[in-house]
Amino acid sequence: MTLRFEQPAYHHETAFIAALRDFERAGEWIADEYYRQKRDFCAFVDALRLAETQPRPYHVPESYYWLFDDDIWVGAVSLRHELDDMLIEFGGHISYEVRPSLRRRGFGLMLCRFILKQAQQRGMSAVLITCDEDNIGSQKIIEACGGILQDTRTSVWYKRPVRRYWITLTSGAS
Ligand SMILES: CC(C)(COP(=O)(O)OP(=O)(O)OC[C@H]1O[C@@H](n2cnc3c(N)ncnc32)[C@H](O)[C@@H]1OP(=O)(O)O)[C@@H](O)C(=O)NCCC(=O)NCCS
């Protein structure tokens, strides 16, 4: 088992597509951008890499990382460098997902810890993470990383109750 984080690259196509099938089998939907790019994997990778410095209109800059175990695509995590009106209510600074067949093995926590270090290295002092009120796995991850619950709210962008946590990076990024 050799775990490593990498930013999306063209040579990840086979591993990514296998993971995508895993999500599809579980009835889950990921990687909107892949479909927006008409399943052109290289265009998809270009879009993810560009999002860091030249985001699409109405999007904030976002850095994407993928976790691999040897050649297996395990999960994805991203860091939004700032918040906008929607992200403050729903979405926050951080997103992560683990492929369904590899859940409950600690990878979710690993993704979150990794991205908090990235945020710290960027000089961010605190991050907002949101999750659905019934997403127990995500809540456990956020709380294990030092998340302090600010509130639970619905918004015009997302009608279901969302728990909003802040993590102070100087003391919380464990
Ligand atoms: C949420 C998610 C990232 C968790 O990934 P994971 O790899 O299973 O998480 P971990 O193995 O690190 O588990 C962390 C903790 O949550 C618990 N947990 C994970 N999934 C759980 C579930 N469905 N129900 C209850 N507890 C759960 C684990 O047992 C572990 O608890 P512990 O610390 O007491 O041992 C994964 O389920 C996922 O990708 N979901 C879809 C996308 C998503 O919801 N992303 C988060 C958006 S905020």
Side-chain angles (χ1 to χ4, degrees):
M1 186 179 194
T2 309
L3 295 169
R4 66 187 189 287
F5 284 93
E6 292 186 11
Q7 291 206 279
Y10 298 155
H11 68 274
H12 294 146
E13 180 164 12
T14 305
F16 172 80
I17 298 299
L20 199 61
R21 300 284 167 262
D22 196 350
F23 282 95
E24 284 171 0
R25 276 193 295 274
E28 295 184 28
W29 181 263
I30 60 156
D32 291 349
E33 189 61 39
Y34 178 64
Y35 297 97
R36 208 184 338 271
Q37 299 299 334
K38 302 182 171 47
R39 300 175 190 240
D40 176 338
F41 186 75
C42 292
F44 168 52
V45 165
D46 288 344
L48 295 189
R49 298 296 292 257
L50 266 179
E52 196 162 32
T53 51
Q54 298 170 52
R56 291 188 292 129
Y58 309 110
H59 285 67
V60 301
E62 185 164 4
S63 302
Y64 291 86
Y65 302 89
W66 289 346
L67 173 63
F68 295 89
D69 179 3
D70 293 325
D71 290 334
I72 297 170
W73 190 104
V74 174
V77 62
S78 70
L79 175 69
R80 301 182 189 98
H81 304 181
E82 56 200 66
L83 299 175
D84 61 17
D85 290 348
M86 183 191 79
L87 293 170
I88 281 180
E89 302 273 341
F90 157 70
H93 287 102
I94 289 171
S95 288
Y96 46 78
E97 58 241 340
V98 174
R99 68 188 289 171
S101 60
L102 293 180
R103 288 184 187 160
R104 306 197 75 158
R105 301 176 191 206
F107 290 128
L109 184 58
M110 188 181 294
L111 291 170
C112 193
R113 285 188 167 148
F114 168 81
I115 208 70
L116 292 175
K117 286 207 179 77
Q118 299 297 312
Q120 220 168 9
Q121 284 168 14
R122 284 192 161 272
M124 297 167 76
S125 56
V127 292
L128 177 70
I129 312 189
T130 74
C131 70
D132 283 15
E133 197 175 30
D134 59 2
N135 192 340
I136 305 300
S138 195
Q139 285 167 37
K140 283 191 166 189
I141 289 168
I142 297 166
E143 288 168 12
C145 288
I148 303 295
L149 181 65
Q150 179 170 340
D151 57 23
T152 301
R153 55 169 88 161
T154 54
S155 66
V156 290
W157 290 283
Y158 194 67
K159 300 295 181 202
R160 299 177 62 190
V162 164
R163 289 167 77 106
R164 298 169 65 255
Y165 290 90
W166 282 95
I167 298 180
T168 303
L169 293 175
T170 44
S171 58
S174 53

